[in-house]
Amino acid sequence: MSQKQLKEAFISNLNGTSLLEISVGLSLPPLCLLCRGLLLILYHLHYGKPVSSRKYSLLLDFLVLVSPLLFSCTVLSPVLFLVPVILAAFCAGIFSKICSQRKQETRVPFGQIVKEFQQTYLDPEYIPAITVFRVYVNVLTTISILAVDFPQYPRRYAKAETYGTGVMDLGVGAFIFGNALVCPEVRQKSHVTQPKFSNLARQLFSVWPLVSLGVGRLLSVKSIDYHEHTSEYGVHWNFFFTLASVRLAASLLLAIFPKNKSWIVALTLAALYQLILNTTSLKTFLLHGSSGRDSRAGFLDANREGLLSLVGYLATYLASVQVGLWLLQCRSSVKGWLGALRVLALAVVVLFVSLHVSQARADPVSRRMANLSFCLWVVAHSLMLFIFFVATDLTLVLTKLLVKGSSVPCSWGVAKPPNSNKKLGTAAAPVGREDELPHPCLISAINKNQLLFFLLANVMTGAVNILVDTIHSKAAFALCILHLYMFVNCSIMSILHAKNIVLKFW
């Protein structure tokens, strides 16, 4: 077999992993985020100031936010279930250190702190967990697209061939979920009236970079005879085309149907699509082609996976729009968000029960078809990850109340309600957010240039695969390459962020 055939076989005919292992893996990013936040608060407790050096801040963020994920999906994957326990124990140790040191400096009862915590004002228009969710999905995706070509990355984490729940399968769906959370329909103020198809016109203008990147990827892959997994999207299609098409189709549907009923449209689309798959020959065509021998004659036959799966991705996107609209409802206190977490947790339980029924009665999860089970699974696990991030943020709010004056980038700040001081004739307290504080922050840096971050990852992945025999690489060499690849990309984002450069011109 040629090198190209070897690499294609290396990522083909896989079956995914268990829902439990994916759930355990999803706890790692929030624990890393919590660990970073607690370390910054502990630093402030000791030195009375935040970390101001960009060099040390980048190093800390990379070692705590990124590096543990690289190890967990490679050499630590056999003991993955122990990694969250170790991280949680480390976080508990830091929190205990903060509490013990605080007791030496102040005698404020912890019960009073908890009461103050429940009444703490949080900016209702700023939800840091959304930013963190989108950035971490991007980070996990960039890690996986290169790591999957190394033998240290477990085959069960790679994309499943037809049925199965691989980590990379979830990554594709979570990318769609994250895009929907910040789409124009979600961000648009409810009291602002705009022309019915204004968001569609805006999307037509904003998706052209995705179409350009899709064309660029297609031409580069074909011109250098790069290895590709044809059953993933087809011969000519790729994820950039999928994302652009879904955004346009969603804006069209949301211009026709009320956006606050988008979950009904999503459920109808997914259920009808599943019904057609089960009652017609569409599933046979999608899996085996028009001739039944995996033929690729004609554009539709050649790209049937990419084109037909658009229905499932569109349903996922519309369901996520409903989530985004619900999240932006006015919640200005910790108590309000604790109630929201209970509702989200209930939604996750309902979705997993529905997933169990769908897999038993309709079809197992299939990213290749983007069927009903796939849509339910993506929304369920994406909501679970989001819940973890919100819980992490609230834990950091409590810790910041223990250490007055401390702050953590990309998290809720601790502040009083804007109107609380008016009776005293003093100025209002600042809005409770810390995404714009002058602290170096890798999450903020990546968030400013997310598309560029993903594009650079794709280019560097291609370069590594051309220059390195990834399949036969040793563990130490693979880890060095993966760390260098991620550190270079993160460093570029940090430099651009430091110079306030945003490469977005559409």
Side-chain angles (χ1 to χ4, degrees), residues 53-339:
S53 169
R54 290 193 176 275
K55 180 174 65 175
Y56 292 126
S57 179
L58 172 61
L59 191 60
L60 172 68
D61 281 0
F62 185 81
L63 289 177
V64 179
L65 299 179
V66 179
S67 192
L69 304 180
L70 276 169
F71 281 104
S72 297
C73 70
T74 51
V75 293
L76 293 182
S77 58
V79 291
L80 180 68
F81 288 80
L82 291 177
V83 179
V85 177
I86 295 169
L87 283 174
F90 187 65
C91 290
I94 302 173
F95 186 79
S96 176
K97 175 74 174 175
I98 291 171
C99 289
S100 62
Q101 187 140 345
R102 169 192 162 274
K103 285 180 181 178
Q104 299 171 7
E105 299 176 4
T106 179
R107 295 184 178 180
V108 179
F110 190 76
Q112 185 177 330
I113 293 291
V114 172
K115 187 176 180 181
E116 184 182 347
F117 166 68
Q118 291 180 332
Q119 297 172 348
T120 300
Y121 171 78
L122 302 174
D123 183 0
E125 296 187 1
Y126 172 60
I127 306 173
I130 292 179
T131 299
V132 175
F133 176 92
R134 297 181 70 243
V135 168
Y136 253 118
V137 167
N138 207 337
V139 168
L140 291 167
T141 303
T142 55
I143 290 173
S144 295
I145 59 175
L146 178 58
V148 71
D149 294 315
F150 289 92
Q152 289 73 27
Y153 188 87
R155 296 301 89 195
R156 64 184 184 278
Y157 291 177
K159 288 178 180 175
E161 185 70 23
T162 301
Y163 295 107
T165 52
V167 174
M168 294 184 72
D169 295 316
L170 178 61
V172 174
F175 219 99
I176 295 287
F177 185 94
N179 265 263
L181 291 180
V182 295
C183 71
E185 289 80 9
V186 171
R187 287 180 284 130
Q188 180 181 319
K189 302 295 183 182
S190 57
H191 61 273
V192 177
T193 55
Q194 291 185 347
K196 199 169 186 180
F197 292 94
S198 60
N199 288 325
L200 178 60
R202 193 178 294 117
Q203 287 283 26
L204 278 169
F205 181 64
S206 64
V207 301
W208 73 262
L210 292 172
V211 176
S212 302
L213 290 172
V215 172
R217 175 177 170 78
L218 171 63
L219 294 177
S220 60
V221 166
K222 299 300 179 185
S223 62
I224 63 174
D225 199 28
Y226 191 76
H227 68 276
E228 52 185 331
H229 194 187
T230 305
S231 66
E232 189 176 339
Y233 295 107
V235 178
H236 312 102
W237 203 260
N238 56 55
F239 183 68
F240 292 114
F241 292 144
T242 292
L243 187 55
S245 302
V246 165
R247 285 173 57 173
L248 286 175
S251 288
L252 177 60
L253 287 176
L254 292 171
I256 299 171
F257 300 100
K259 63 181 183 180
N260 61 343
K261 297 291 189 293
S262 59
W263 71 273
I264 298 176
V265 182
L267 186 58
T268 304
L269 268 177
L272 282 176
Y273 177 51
Q274 184 64 58
L275 183 64
I276 293 170
L277 283 173
N278 284 3
T279 58
T280 69
S281 59
L282 185 64
K283 185 191 294 186
T284 302
F285 168 71
L286 198 153
L287 297 179
H288 306 292
S290 55
S291 67
R293 298 179 181 177
D294 199 23
S295 62
R296 297 284 173 179
F299 182 78
L300 176 59
D301 209 348
N303 302 284
R304 55 185 185 269
E305 292 92 350
L307 294 170
L308 293 175
S309 64
L310 286 175
V311 181
Y313 287 121
L314 178 58
T316 303
Y317 188 97
L318 290 172
S320 308
V321 167
Q322 187 73 64
V323 173
L325 291 170
W326 186 82
L327 289 174
L328 288 180
Q329 291 177 7
C330 187
R331 295 181 188 86
S332 56
S333 69
V334 168
K335 193 173 182 180
W337 272 104
L338 289 174

Side-chain angles (χ1 to χ4, degrees), residues 3-75:
Q3 188 72 4
K4 178 187 175 183
Q5 290 172 324
L6 279 172
K7 291 194 173 186
E8 287 175 351
F10 194 56
I11 56 175
S12 301
N13 302 313
L14 304 171
N15 300 311
T17 185
S18 67
L19 295 179
L20 177 61
E21 186 170 19
I22 292 176
S23 299
V24 171
L26 289 180
S27 68
L28 296 178
L31 284 170
C32 292
L33 190 71
L34 179 61
C35 182
R36 192 277 300 253
L38 292 174
L39 285 172
L40 290 176
I41 294 171
L42 184 62
Y43 181 91
H44 188 280
L45 184 63
H46 277 290
Y47 299 100
K49 62 179 182 178
V51 178
S52 56
S53 169
R54 290 193 176 275
K55 180 174 65 175
Y56 292 126
S57 179
L58 172 61
L59 191 60
L60 172 68
D61 281 0
F62 185 81
L63 289 177
V64 179
L65 299 179
V66 179
S67 192
L69 304 180
L70 276 169
F71 281 104
S72 297
C73 70
T74 51
V75 293

